[in-house]
Amino acid sequence: MVQIGKIIHQQAQKQGISVKKLAAKLNISTPATYKILQREDMSIQRLLQFSSALNHNFFKYYLPAPKVSPEQYKALQNENQQLKQQIQILQRENNLLNDFVQLLKSNKYKD
């Protein structure tokens, strides 16, 4: 069973939001918020309110994890690694272009 109240509380803490601030966002009292966060389940409407207040999809904790075969997992790992390498290359290119722009700007004013 998903202990959604605990998950919500952890997410709020991760975002640096106290229960008091969360209660204010939801327009409910702090004690009521603590009681809600101690529950193992809650209404869809209430879960939607918490999702909106924390900009986090709490519904995903009720979905089964997708099943991935070992081959698919390996392929995804390889693709992830390739994308990371491409990101590094693009970041280096971006840095070079930024340096070039700065050089052009500095030369423009020397003439």
Side-chain angles (χ1 to χ4, degrees), residues 39-83:
R39 296 181 189 162
E40 288 186 12
D41 60 4
M42 65 183 63
S43 71
I44 292 172
Q45 183 62 35
R46 183 66 75 191
L47 192 58
L48 183 60
Q49 289 172 334
F50 278 105
S51 292
S52 178
L54 294 172
N55 195 27
H56 185 85
N57 178 11
F58 291 107
F59 292 93
K60 71 181 180 180
Y61 299 101
Y62 291 99
L63 299 173
K67 295 187 181 192
V68 178
S69 71
E71 295 81 18
Q72 290 172 319
Y73 183 76
K74 183 69 173 169
L76 289 170
Q77 279 185 317
N78 289 337
E79 183 180 357
N80 186 37
Q81 187 61 35
Q82 289 173 354
L83 290 171

Side-chain angles (χ1 to χ4, degrees), residues 7-8 10 14-15 22 28 44-46 57 67 73 86 91 98 100 104 106 110:
I7 294 169
I8 292 169
Q10 289 171 341
K14 184 177 176 183
Q15 293 182 24
L22 183 57
I28 56 177
I44 292 172
Q45 183 62 35
R46 183 66 75 191
N57 178 11
K67 295 187 181 192
Y73 183 76
Q86 288 177 349
Q91 286 173 332
N98 282 332
F100 185 68
L104 288 174
S106 66
K110 288 184 178 180

Side-chain angles (χ1 to χ4, degrees), residues 17-31:
I17 298 173
S18 68
V19 174
K20 184 177 181 178
K21 286 182 184 177
L22 183 57
K25 283 184 165 199
L26 297 170
N27 201 26
I28 56 177
S29 71
T30 302

